[in-house]
């Protein structure tokens, strides 16, 4: 397992320049899954600690395997909370996706938990990210300039406060969580409703007006929906997730096989 590297973050640069960056989502905590996904050409993987059984005990190995296979490692933390954020960063994550950011105050809170004083309020500890106490100064500089902080926009309140969220220094981008966004409006998963579509359109318009990168987690394992988002100007895209890639392919091929047997 490679140690955490204090190199410049390619993702950070791409977010700043609104260049296309495609990653995926890890919910199955196994080295083999990471190695398999690395052969597809993803630039980063997000380890999901909010909606999966992945524990803090396994996070360091997963981050190391992602980085060791040529990708950057993001973690969607369980919540916008100090200990949850600093533990995954101390384990060497390249950045965090913070769920359910609804307003400017919560966005500022997330940045405070990521950054050391005087910029933020993160407590100082030594672990893998700081090369076990041998590179704290280097890591401190790296955090200031290279760590990635993504606000997950998944509540209608966040849509209404999006300009304020984008105004917070240290927020590098957003990623839309479509399931929870539609759920916050009372219609879980009903993306085609006019009011849900209007909320998604508002996100597009605000980001483009402010010249900020647009991010989205496309659940569908077929490429078409991701391509649609790219054509609409989205540049930070999580393309499906491990179990959908596995399950959808297995179901599709078994269905095709059975149709030939009947």
């Amino acid at each position: 397992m490679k140690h955490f590297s204090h190199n410049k973050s390619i993702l950070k640069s791409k977010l700043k320049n609104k260049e296309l960056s495609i990653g995926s989502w890890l919910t199955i905590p196994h080295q083999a899954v990471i190695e398999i996904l690395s052969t597809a050409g993803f630039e980063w993987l997000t380890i999901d600690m909010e909606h999966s059984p992945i524990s803090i005990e396994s996070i360091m190995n997963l981050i190391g395997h992602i980085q060791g296979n040529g990708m950057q490692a993001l973690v969607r933390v369980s919540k916008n909370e100090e200990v949850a954020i600093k533990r995954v960063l101390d384990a060497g994550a390249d950045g965090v996706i913070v769920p359910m950011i609804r307003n400017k105050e919560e966005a500022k809170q997330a940045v405070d938990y990521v950054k050391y004083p005087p910029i933020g309020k993160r407590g100082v500890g030594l672990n893998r990210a700081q090369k076990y106490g041998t590179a704290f100064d280097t890591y401190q500089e790296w955090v200031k300039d290279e760590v990635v902080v993504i606000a997950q926009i998944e509540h209608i309140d966040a849509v209404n406060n999006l300009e304020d969220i984008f105004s917070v220094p240290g927020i590098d981008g957003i990623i839309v969580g479509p399931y929870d966004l539609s759920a916050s409006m009372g219609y879980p998963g009903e993306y085609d409703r006019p009011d849900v579509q209007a909320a998604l359109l508002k996100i597009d318009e605000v980001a483009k007006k402010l010249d900020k990168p647009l991010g989205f987690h496309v659940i569908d394992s077929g490429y078409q929906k991701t391509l649609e988002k790219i054509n609409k100007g989205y540049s930070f895209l999580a393309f499906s997730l491990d179990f959908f890639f596995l399950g959808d392919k297995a179901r599709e091929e078994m269905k095709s096989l059975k149709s030939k047997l009947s």
Side-chain angles (χ1 to χ4, degrees), residues 170-228:
I171 294 291
D172 296 296
I174 63 164
I175 190 164
V176 178
Y179 269 96
D180 280 328
L181 176 58
S182 58
S184 77
M185 300 172 73
Y187 311 104
E190 296 184 40
Y191 311 134
D192 294 330
R193 285 181 57 89
D195 49 355
V196 177
Q197 285 294 312
L200 292 170
L201 185 61
K202 184 174 180 182
I203 294 170
D204 293 10
E205 289 170 347
V206 170
K208 284 169 183 171
K209 182 178 84 172
L210 299 175
D211 200 29
K212 298 288 187 178
L214 270 166
F216 203 93
H217 188 183
V218 179
I219 304 301
D220 199 306
S221 67
Y223 75 89
Q224 294 89 346
K225 293 277 176 68
T226 297
L227 184 60
E228 281 176 24

Side-chain angles (χ1 to χ4, degrees), residues 111-124:
V111 173
D112 280 348
Y113 295 154
V114 168
K115 306 271 188 173
Y116 292 116
I119 299 167
K121 299 176 181 175
R122 178 176 167 188
V124 176

